[in-house]
Amino acid sequence: FYLTPSQVNSILKANEYSFKVPEFDGKNVSSVLGFDSNQLPANAPIEDRRSAATCLQTRGMLLGVFDGHAGCACAQAVSERLFYYIAVSLLPHETLLEIENAVESGRALLPILQWHKHPNDYFSKEASKLYFNSLRTYWQELIDLNSGETTDVREALINAFKRLDNDISLEAQVGDPNSFLNYLVLRVAFSGATACVAHVDGIDLHIANTGDSRAMLGVQEEDGSWSAVNLSYDHNAQNEREVERVKMEHPKSEEKSLVKQDRLLGLLMPFRAFGDVKFKWSIELQKRVVESGPDQLNDNEYTKFIPPNYYTPPYLTAEPEVIHHKLRPQDKFLVLATDGLWETMHRQDVARIVGEYLTGVHHQQPIAVGGYKVTLGQMHGLLTERRARISSVFEDQNAATHLIRHAVGNNEFGTVDHERLSKMLSLPEELARMYRDDITIIVVQFNSHVIGAYQK
């Protein structure tokens, strides 16, 4: 189908969300100005999720993208739950006690997070009591373990990721008398999700990453040009350190079967993920849970098969790799995105496109036609198109939308081609996935003045 520009825009803008950090007393004291986020599905339903929240009892803001596989159940659960685990891990002992005493005596709880959500971002009401009980058990343990020291952010992030993954596994093993909930916890555990999360507090930026979504910093150089700084590493077969880590954790006899066709045990692309108990539980445990589980679980091919060469589980971990970065005035924005974006765009182009969008300044690159035979007429057309692009104000009100437009519509000359965009967006659901993955993006804009003042 040929889509008109307004049809293209309505598809691209359907899931966009923007949040501006409110100013206090006329002085903006947050190092974050705000963020834009958006999602473009390829799977039906989309398997990506996104989350953003302000921590109310400690300082800082949490933002994350989650890429699900074998369904969206695990990504959904992690997007709802992980930030609570992180927030609780960061709370001082007195606050944890206050919260526990409030629950004990039936008083209203201190709110821990203020969520920033798009109306389409679903929360599962049915599981909220179960999720709350698991979280409460966690903070009770933190109270008992109290060493009086303040928690280091890095440690809090690692503990929260590992603990949530552990709870997802336990809930599935214990099951639930309510058959709907029982099926839900099993779907969550048997599907999987990667997570890339940012915690921003003042000039301290921590990225916790599990899997192959990415975090990238957009830096403005002195001459006004843009460069990209990676703040995460993909956990997959392309990362030699990660392949070595997996090999170290299993006997030498399994060396050949651990990674096949660039996949873990020949099956899984990411080498770290939440859920995916097929790669974590013993064969006995898998069989017991599937046999005693609801009938729908038995009908699911994914739960029945055992991965080949499955001798020494677990083969998979949800433990994140954490990178800490001290923000500088030249650090203008952060992009968190699922691999659907990085498969189509290089980080350097992402930095330039977002940087130019945020500043409204185009740096004219010489038009590169790389080896193509271009007639004078075609060259004239490219230059005219370029001029029109500069004179028209950016059509997107959202940096993430602007980036998706480029990711899906860029031609070989690096410019958005409406015809290509129209074709890509009108593909039927079952075909779309062959051309691209779900794309989820959060673009966080930093406040250079505040960051500069912090440094002083």
Side-chain angles (χ1 to χ4, degrees):
F1 299 108
Y2 185 79
L3 303 175
T4 64
S6 67
Q7 287 171 318
V8 163
N9 282 346
S10 68
I11 293 171
L12 287 179
K13 296 176 184 222
N15 297 309
E16 67 179 13
Y17 177 82
S18 292
F19 176 75
K20 295 279 168 277
V21 173
E23 295 194 13
F24 304 102
D25 320 321
K27 295 192 295 289
N28 193 339
V29 293
S30 169
S31 56
V32 175
L33 283 169
F35 70 85
D36 290 340
S37 80
N38 201 350
Q39 295 189 294
L40 183 68
N43 291 296
I46 185 170
E47 294 183 343
D48 281 5
R49 293 292 184 271
R50 57 180 164 181
S51 294
T54 300
C55 300
L56 294 172
Q57 305 304 329
T58 52
R59 297 186 352 201
M61 195 168 191
L62 285 164
L63 306 111
V65 294
F66 312 95
D67 187 349
H69 46 265
C72 58
C74 188
Q76 178 61 44
V78 174
S79 74
E80 293 180 39
R81 304 177 68 181
L82 181 58
F83 288 6
Y84 281 115
Y85 280 70
I86 295 171
V88 161
S89 307
L90 288 166
L91 289 177
H93 189 243
E94 310 74 77
T95 313
L96 286 171
L97 280 173
E98 271 176 58
I99 291 174
E100 177 54 30
N101 292 335
V103 177
E104 223 11 66
S105 56
R107 291 198 315 274
L109 274 185
L110 287 171
I112 298 176
L113 294 173
Q114 177 195 354
W115 290 93
H116 310 301
K117 287 210 294 281
H118 186 280
N120 293 357
D121 294 344
Y122 160 82
F123 258 46
S124 54
K125 307 262 186 307
E126 306 83 7
S128 55
K129 195 170 185 313
L130 169 77
Y131 290 173
F132 178 79
N133 290 339
S134 292
L135 182 69
R136 184 183 178 191
T137 306
Y138 179 42
W139 80 56
Q140 287 170 335
E141 284 176 31
L142 288 174
I143 290 171
D144 295 343
L145 288 170
N146 171 47
S147 55
E149 294 163 22
T150 49
T151 316
D152 163 62
V153 177
R154 184 176 179 279
E155 215 173 308
L157 288 163
I158 292 172
N159 292 343
F161 272 63
K162 285 164 72 172
R163 177 59 181 234
L164 172 57
D165 192 51
N166 195 44
D167 284 355
I168 285 171
S169 175
L170 271 175
E171 288 157 5
Q173 291 172 49
V174 172
D176 197 281
N178 170 332
S179 62
F180 173 82
L181 272 183
N182 195 29
Y183 186 45
L184 176 80
V185 295
L186 289 165
R187 271 186 32 231
V188 169
F190 277 95
S191 59
T194 69
C196 188
V197 170
H199 178 267
V200 195
D201 176 8
I203 55 170
D204 288 303
L205 168 62
H206 286 83
I207 301 291
N209 182 51
T210 286
D212 51 10
S213 293
R214 280 184 207 167
M216 183 213 90
L217 200 59
V219 180
Q220 190 164 30
E221 304 299 343
E222 282 180 11
D223 65 357
S225 66
W226 295 94
S227 65
V229 175
N230 265 353
L231 288 181
S232 67
Y233 298 102
D234 295 354
H235 299 132
N236 58 24
Q238 272 61 57
N239 179 341
E240 285 172 18
R241 281 214 327 256
E242 193 62 9
V243 174
E244 278 314 303
R245 177 190 68 79
V246 172
K247 286 182 177 170
M248 293 284 290
E249 291 172 4
H250 298 276
K252 197 112 178 80
S253 56
E254 292 184 57
E255 201 165 17
K256 288 195 166 55
S257 57
L258 280 170
V259 180
K260 281 188 156 175
Q261 277 122 19
D262 282 352
R263 291 168 181 256
L264 189 64
L265 297 180
L267 296 168
L268 198 63
M269 289 286 272
F271 284 16
R272 302 191 195 195
F274 284 90
D276 277 322
V277 293
K278 302 282 320 159
F279 296 85
K280 293 173 181 171
W281 289 355
S282 69
I283 293 176
E284 298 72 50
L285 179 57
Q286 291 189 38
K287 285 185 171 155
R288 182 170 66 73
V289 170
V290 172
E291 279 160 19
S292 61
D295 294 339
Q296 301 107 302
L297 202 63
N298 281 313
D299 302 339
N300 183 336
E301 284 307 305
Y302 183 69
T303 54
K304 279 206 292 241
F305 84 95
I306 300 291
N309 303 303
Y310 198 78
Y311 308 113
T312 53
Y315 288 91
L316 193 63
T317 176
E319 181 170 337
E321 195 170 1
V322 178
I323 289 181
H324 173 231
H325 175 84
K326 281 227 179 289
L327 291 169
R328 310 156 301 173
Q330 63 266 40
D331 299 332
K332 301 298 183 187
F333 61 88
L334 170 74
V335 177
L336 298 171
T338 54
D339 62 348
L341 173 70
W342 310 109
E343 284 166 4
T344 58
M345 290 189 87
H346 189 271
R347 63 175 183 271
Q348 197 50 55
D349 294 328
V350 170
R352 180 182 53 79
I353 287 164
V354 176
E356 290 180 355
Y357 171 84
L358 292 176
T359 54
V361 177
H362 267 299
H363 274 271
Q364 285 308 359
Q365 307 290 343
I367 283 189
V369 292
Y372 291 94
K373 285 195 164 58
V374 178
T375 65
L376 269 176
Q378 286 170 318
M379 187 50 108
H380 177 71
L382 283 169
L383 289 166
T384 316
E385 186 189 328
R386 181 161 94 166
R387 187 177 306 139
R389 268 209 326 282
I390 298 156
S391 59
S392 75
V393 178
F394 287 111
E395 55 195 314
D396 296 313
Q397 305 303 302
N398 178 304
T401 308
H402 186 67
L403 199 45
I404 290 176
R405 188 183 296 277
H406 278 268
V408 179
N410 264 7
N411 59 17
E412 61 271 35
F413 304 117
T415 60
V416 175
D417 175 343
H418 178 76
E419 197 173 325
R420 180 180 162 79
L421 198 53
S422 165
K423 277 183 188 160
M424 290 295 279
L425 294 179
S426 62
L427 288 170
E429 281 169 358
E430 61 277 10
L431 272 183
R433 186 63 193 86
M434 293 165 65
Y435 288 90
R436 57 179 180 80
D437 197 353
D438 297 328
I439 299 177
T440 298
I441 300 172
I442 300 177
V443 178
V444 186
Q445 202 177 347
F446 296 122
N447 188 332
S448 306
H449 302 299
V450 169
I451 290 168
Y454 263 110
Q455 283 194 319
K456 291 191 185 78

